[in-house]
Amino acid sequence: MNYRSWKHILKLIVSSLYLFYNKIILAGFRKNIFLFVCLLIFTSASSLKAQQDTLSLRADLRQQLNAAKAKINAQPAQAIILFEQIAKQSEAEKEYTIYCESIKQIAIQKIGMGNFNEARDYLSKAYLIAESQQLFGFKADFAYLTGTVFYSQGNLSSAIQKFLEALRYYEPNKLLIGSLSAYTSIAEVYSRQNNFSKAIEYNLKALKLFEQTNDRFRQLNIFEQVGSIYYRQNNITKAKEYYSKALALYKDLGNRAGEAATLISLANLDADQQHFEQAVVRYKRAITIATGLNALPLQVQGLNKLAKCHLNMKDYEAASAEYRQSIIYAKQSGLNIELDEAYNGLSEIYKSLNDLGKSKIFRALSSEIKDSLFNDSLMKKTLDIQQEYETEKLVYETEKKQDQIELYKKDDEVKELELKQTTQVKNFFITLSVLLVLLVIIFSYFISQNRKINKALTQGLTDLGEKNKENEIQKDQLTQLNQVKDRFFSIISHDLRNNLTTMKLYFDLISHKEFNPESHSSLGKQVASSVQNTIDLLENLLVWASAQIKGVSINAADLSLYALAEENCQLLNSMAFHKQIQLTNQVDEDTHVYGDINMLNLVLRNLLSNALKFTSDGGSVNIISEDEESYIKISVIDNGVGIAKEKISILFTEHSNSSTKGTGNEKGTGLGLMLCKEFVEKNGGEIWVESEEGKGSSFCFTLPKKGG
């Protein structure tokens, strides 16, 4: 029994004696002595029993904890169940040290099995409890394990933050094993981010720490960490020495997961030395062990390395199968870094087989993973755009304030001049009787001065007016640029992202091993439509943005309308063929117009494309021309779905226009008709639509004849 227990019992005895004494005074010794002696004995016994129960419970929980640890290597699933029971009981009994130790073991096992989200849930709760109970050692351990989860899921910035948090406790408290683990983990993160100077810095710290404690700390994880350090320094001999020591200890302890991880490390060394056959044997042993333990991260890591080894041996079939199995496991566990490695490997395989199409597909999937992991450049561009806008706004406000200051200065000058004039007039009247002869001269002088002042004031006001006009023009330009930016980002964030998402889903589907092309024959048509719409969107978007920001110059010339119509019909023939639509050019062959060829091509292409989109399968689209007195009328006529009356009035409006899906679920760009109206008017014509809902539409526009 410890000192605190005896102190508590002594207090109870003293309290009981005090009550006993008071009772004697009030009722007499003989009457109450037996009662208070019994009370004293009962109180002492109760306290002793409570202390013994607490110690017994703690010892029992500690015994259960040790029993669970003994099952980690042989029966990991059973060990997790026991740890969860101990954690629940210890939390209820407020035995927080045992609770934290149990959660730590659960998190380690969950991480090893690839259940990262479950591990993070356990660690988040335990971290708060450790912090509230001031168990700073466990708090640091939980931070380190959380960093391991973030690293495994590809969240490198959060991982390094947690590793550094753990290191801030390990270093000052001289916890060498924890410090060594944190150093090597931080070095690994920096290495992944290609920050090699930082990676080398923390690797050297870890190596120095190990060398300082070489005689005192020969624990298992030291061997692994030091082997990793020597491996990064390309010291293969030393790395093999320490990995081999770790492997021997893992075998002695019966730790199958550690054995598998170390086998992968040794196989990596063999592969680096081009001993591929020996590396394959070790990789397969490691994968077999990991499969038996259901340790998905080890399985994925082993499969990726084995596939790379087969790739170097030019066994492309085996490598492809291993990479594809790795992708399945990596997606299940959210192992984004390993998923990127598998996609890269498949890209290299198909590149070696000269199948550049599939190689490009897997390279794109890899790039998508990288974009999700390292999105700093995109964020920086976004911030740069926002900063540029804010800077322009600040410049405008500054110039406006400067103009106000200048105006105030002019007002002060006017007041000063008025005051000066009043003083001079006063002096003039004082000296009038004495200097009558000089009156004319002085009067003329003041008139001359006043004229100069008035002229200067007039010029100043004129300059201020011009500056105000310039400021208004700049304000209008900034407003217009802001509207262009908002429209530009709106289209990119909605229409372009939807098309790319459709294509991504299709590529994910066809890359799946269970994909059956025959049962998804319509998907190719949908993706082709999505690709065509993306091309149309980008073309219209670039032309529109250029017209809005820089303006468009017109290079008018004599053009054959029949040739222009025929060229655009041929361009859209494939689209008409897919929907079995009869696309006919009925323009007279000798019809000529006067206009810009690039603008007219865009107008015809957009009108014909829209007509095909909104015409049902088996319909017809015709383009005809009519010769008027001084212009040519061109009409694109379809028998499609038509347009509602309430929409016709806003069809060519810039801010109200929005894209509508066609009869084949095609997506419009939302810019085509707006560009058509602008370009037709720039070429001296007009554009309008005649439509009846359910019966079709006729989009008509006029262009001048040659020299018109």
Side-chain angles (χ1 to χ4, degrees), residues 205-489:
K205 285 184 178 181
L207 183 60
K208 182 179 179 182
L209 183 64
F210 171 74
E211 290 173 348
Q212 289 175 350
T213 60
N214 192 29
D215 295 333
R216 295 178 59 194
F217 296 93
R218 290 279 183 178
Q219 289 84 351
L220 177 62
N221 60 339
I222 295 289
F223 291 143
E224 279 192 303
Q225 300 290 357
V226 174
S228 176
I229 293 170
Y230 281 123
Y231 176 56
R232 290 190 184 93
Q233 292 188 330
N234 205 25
N235 190 338
I236 305 299
T237 304
K238 279 286 188 181
K240 275 192 174 182
E241 176 186 346
Y242 284 101
Y243 280 140
S244 298
K245 290 179 181 180
L247 181 62
L249 277 177
Y250 275 129
K251 288 182 177 179
D252 290 341
L253 294 171
N255 189 326
R256 302 287 286 167
E259 183 181 350
T262 310
L263 281 170
I264 291 173
S265 298
L266 286 168
N268 291 340
L269 296 176
D270 292 332
D272 287 346
Q273 293 180 307
Q274 297 188 350
H275 299 157
F276 297 123
E277 292 80 5
Q278 185 175 349
V280 167
V281 173
R282 282 178 167 160
Y283 284 135
K284 288 183 176 179
R285 283 173 55 197
I287 293 169
T288 301
I289 295 171
T291 303
L293 297 173
N294 195 27
L296 288 180
L298 285 175
Q299 287 178 262
V300 173
Q301 186 180 359
L303 284 168
N304 277 344
K305 298 298 183 183
L306 179 59
K308 185 177 181 181
C309 197
H310 279 137
L311 177 60
N312 289 325
M313 297 168 69
K314 301 189 184 304
D315 187 351
Y316 300 125
E317 184 177 355
S320 177
E322 287 150 2
Y323 275 132
R324 291 181 186 278
Q325 188 62 42
S326 171
I327 288 171
I328 294 172
Y329 292 152
K331 285 183 177 180
Q332 289 178 7
S333 300
L335 298 166
N336 291 328
I337 293 176
E338 285 73 13
L339 185 60
D340 172 42
E341 185 178 346
Y343 283 144
N344 261 323
L346 285 172
S347 177
E348 290 298 323
I349 289 173
Y350 285 114
K351 183 178 180 181
S352 301
L353 295 173
N354 292 323
D355 191 342
L356 300 181
K358 290 184 178 179
S359 175
K360 189 177 292 185
I361 288 172
F362 286 107
R363 182 69 65 189
L365 291 172
S366 171
S367 298
E368 184 179 351
I369 295 294
K370 285 186 175 66
D371 289 342
S372 66
L373 295 178
F374 309 104
N375 207 24
D376 293 341
S377 61
L378 181 59
M379 290 299 295
K380 185 177 185 301
K381 289 179 181 178
T382 304
L383 291 174
D384 287 343
I385 292 172
Q386 184 66 25
Q387 184 63 36
E388 182 179 354
Y389 169 73
E390 294 295 337
T391 302
E392 292 175 351
K393 183 178 179 182
L394 181 60
V395 168
Y396 168 75
E397 295 293 338
T398 303
E399 291 178 350
K400 185 176 180 181
K401 290 181 180 179
Q402 187 65 34
D403 290 341
Q404 290 178 345
I405 293 172
E406 293 294 331
L407 186 60
Y408 291 148
K409 287 182 178 179
K410 291 292 183 182
D411 289 339
D412 291 340
E413 290 177 2
V414 171
K415 291 179 180 179
E416 184 178 353
L417 289 172
E418 290 176 349
L419 180 61
K420 182 179 180 181
Q421 185 178 6
T422 302
T423 304
Q424 289 174 345
V425 171
K426 182 179 179 180
N427 293 334
F428 170 74
F429 282 108
I430 293 174
T431 59
L432 180 60
S433 58
V434 181
L435 303 172
L436 186 59
V437 179
L438 298 177
L439 177 62
V440 176
I441 299 174
I442 294 173
F443 185 72
S444 299
Y445 170 77
F446 279 116
I447 291 175
S448 176
Q449 287 293 101
N450 285 332
R451 286 177 178 174
K452 290 180 180 179
I453 293 171
N454 290 332
K455 184 177 180 180
L457 288 174
T458 302
Q459 185 63 39
L461 291 174
T462 302
D463 293 341
L464 285 176
E466 291 178 355
K467 286 186 177 180
N468 286 333
K469 290 180 180 179
E470 291 176 0
N471 289 337
E472 290 298 325
I473 293 172
Q474 291 177 358
K475 180 180 178 181
D476 292 339
Q477 291 174 346
L478 288 175
T479 302
Q480 183 180 2
L481 287 174
N482 193 34
Q483 291 174 350
V484 171
K485 179 200 71 174
D486 291 341
R487 181 68 170 159
F488 191 85
F489 286 150

Side-chain angles (χ1 to χ4, degrees), residues 417-610:
L417 289 172
E418 290 176 349
L419 180 61
K420 182 179 180 181
Q421 185 178 6
T422 302
T423 304
Q424 289 174 345
V425 171
K426 182 179 179 180
N427 293 334
F428 170 74
F429 282 108
I430 293 174
T431 59
L432 180 60
S433 58
V434 181
L435 303 172
L436 186 59
V437 179
L438 298 177
L439 177 62
V440 176
I441 299 174
I442 294 173
F443 185 72
S444 299
Y445 170 77
F446 279 116
I447 291 175
S448 176
Q449 287 293 101
N450 285 332
R451 286 177 178 174
K452 290 180 180 179
I453 293 171
N454 290 332
K455 184 177 180 180
L457 288 174
T458 302
Q459 185 63 39
L461 291 174
T462 302
D463 293 341
L464 285 176
E466 291 178 355
K467 286 186 177 180
N468 286 333
K469 290 180 180 179
E470 291 176 0
N471 289 337
E472 290 298 325
I473 293 172
Q474 291 177 358
K475 180 180 178 181
D476 292 339
Q477 291 174 346
L478 288 175
T479 302
Q480 183 180 2
L481 287 174
N482 193 34
Q483 291 174 350
V484 171
K485 179 200 71 174
D486 291 341
R487 181 68 170 159
F488 191 85
F489 286 150
S490 173
I491 293 170
I492 288 178
S493 65
H494 185 267
D495 294 326
L496 187 57
R497 182 174 62 185
N498 286 346
N499 291 335
L500 294 177
T501 300
T502 299
M503 288 184 277
K504 175 185 176 298
L505 292 175
Y506 173 73
F507 291 137
D508 284 344
L509 178 61
I510 65 173
S511 65
H512 198 277
K513 65 179 184 179
E514 297 180 358
F515 172 73
N516 184 2
E518 295 180 358
S519 62
H520 298 83
S521 58
S522 63
L523 284 179
K525 183 177 179 181
Q526 294 178 15
V527 172
S529 175
S530 180
V531 170
Q532 182 60 48
N533 185 64
T534 302
I535 294 171
D536 293 342
L537 171 62
L538 289 175
E539 183 176 0
N540 285 339
L541 188 62
L542 292 173
V543 173
W544 174 75
S546 176
Q548 292 295 314
I549 296 174
K550 300 179 180 179
V552 177
S553 58
I554 301 175
N555 298 316
D558 180 38
L559 304 171
S560 170
L561 181 60
Y562 175 82
L564 288 177
E566 187 64 20
E567 178 183 353
N568 284 280
C569 286
Q570 292 296 328
L571 185 65
L572 296 170
N573 257 341
S574 61
M575 184 176 178
F577 176 78
H578 281 301
K579 297 181 72 175
Q580 296 299 309
I581 295 174
Q582 184 177 0
L583 177 59
T584 307
N585 177 14
Q586 298 182 8
V587 175
D588 293 335
E589 293 187 11
D590 58 348
T591 301
H592 284 251
V593 293
Y594 193 73
D596 185 290
I597 186 170
N598 293 321
M599 292 185 180
L600 298 186
N601 269 324
L602 186 140
V603 172
L604 288 172
R605 186 166 60 253
N606 272 285
L607 293 181
L608 288 171
S609 176
N610 281 349

